[in-house]
Amino acid sequence: MPNVPTASALPRRDQIRREAARLFAARGFLGVGVDEIGKAVGISGPGLYRHFAGKDAMLADLLIGISERLLEEGRRRAGGGDGPAATLDALISGHVDFALNDRDLITLHDRELLNLKEEDRRTVRRLQRGYVELWVDVVRQAHPSLADPGAEPVARAAVHAVFGLINSTPHSVGPNPAQGERAGLQRGDMAALLHTLAHGAFAAAAESVAAAGSTGADRGAGPA
């Protein structure tokens, strides 16, 4: 996924998105006013209503938008046709890029999903389910021991665990001296670490299923 352009290169609507995400993540959706968002992009608060109907619409746009983007990018990477292992590697790289480039949106999702209107929240959940199912399918193709119908819950749990691992970066990538954070890894080092850990998690899940199957077969071969 491409890096986010600077504010001056962004269209006004995208500037508003970026500043709203930053402010909502830092102070909470309920703690930020429309006037403050307008000031951050150099327009009056009422001027924002030419772009968004209000704060609720901004939040919905941000959370639905990132869910749509993840699913669209995931489908694009999954359609590369380079085989399951390469596809899984591409999915991991894409999600790592998202996590490192869009820390504010991860924080926003964790804290503010319940502030969405019910219809918008259902839309986000539907898009997220599609993204999860895409990953589960690829993981089970890349790791044959997970392809067995009985191993599907393990594959699904591993996908959610890897999402949790990668999405933890807003809490582990420093530094933010104002909040007393120590210096964190450089972006490239963090990306490489997350990539390795994600692959390791899926391999461990596959090995656990294979080992359980082997143990069961051994027991079945013994005396009754």
Side-chain angles (χ1 to χ4, degrees), residues 20-111:
R22 180 182 65 83
L23 290 167
F24 291 160
R27 303 237 310 277
F29 175 72
L30 298 178
V32 177
V34 170
D35 287 343
E36 188 173 1
I37 298 170
K39 182 178 179 181
V41 295
I43 61 177
S44 66
L48 289 178
Y49 294 111
R50 292 196 296 269
H51 302 278
F52 293 96
K55 279 204 316 176
D56 287 344
M58 291 180 206
L59 184 63
D61 179 89
L62 288 166
L63 294 182
I64 293 174
I66 192 55
S67 297
E68 289 175 336
R69 193 177 105 201
L70 282 170
L71 181 55
E72 179 181 351
E73 179 69 8
R75 286 172 172 165
R76 186 188 69 79
R77 290 172 182 259
D82 296 324
T87 297
L88 179 58
D89 193 70
L91 285 177
I92 292 170
S93 293
H95 201 92
V96 167
D97 282 346
F98 154 67
L100 294 176
N101 291 341
D102 293 289
R103 294 169 62 185
D104 287 340
L105 289 175
I106 292 176
T107 300
L108 197 61
H109 179 276
D110 288 346
R111 294 178 182 171

Side-chain angles (χ1 to χ4, degrees), residues 174-186:
N176 185 346
Q179 297 182 10
E181 293 181 4
R182 298 180 180 179
L185 291 176
Q186 295 296 313

Side-chain angles (χ1 to χ4, degrees), residues 97-150:
D97 282 346
F98 154 67
L100 294 176
N101 291 341
D102 293 289
R103 294 169 62 185
D104 287 340
L105 289 175
I106 292 176
T107 300
L108 197 61
H109 179 276
D110 288 346
R111 294 178 182 171
E112 308 295 349
L113 185 62
L114 291 178
N115 279 318
L116 284 180
K117 295 179 180 178
E118 180 61 29
E119 180 180 356
D120 293 330
R121 191 159 60 246
R122 284 198 300 269
T123 298
V124 170
R125 293 300 193 195
R126 175 178 55 78
L127 293 165
Q128 290 176 335
R129 284 194 298 271
Y131 188 56
V132 169
E133 293 307 316
L134 185 153
W135 274 69
V136 170
D137 183 57
V138 171
V139 166
R140 297 181 74 195
Q141 293 180 49
H143 293 279
S145 65
L146 296 173
D148 185 274

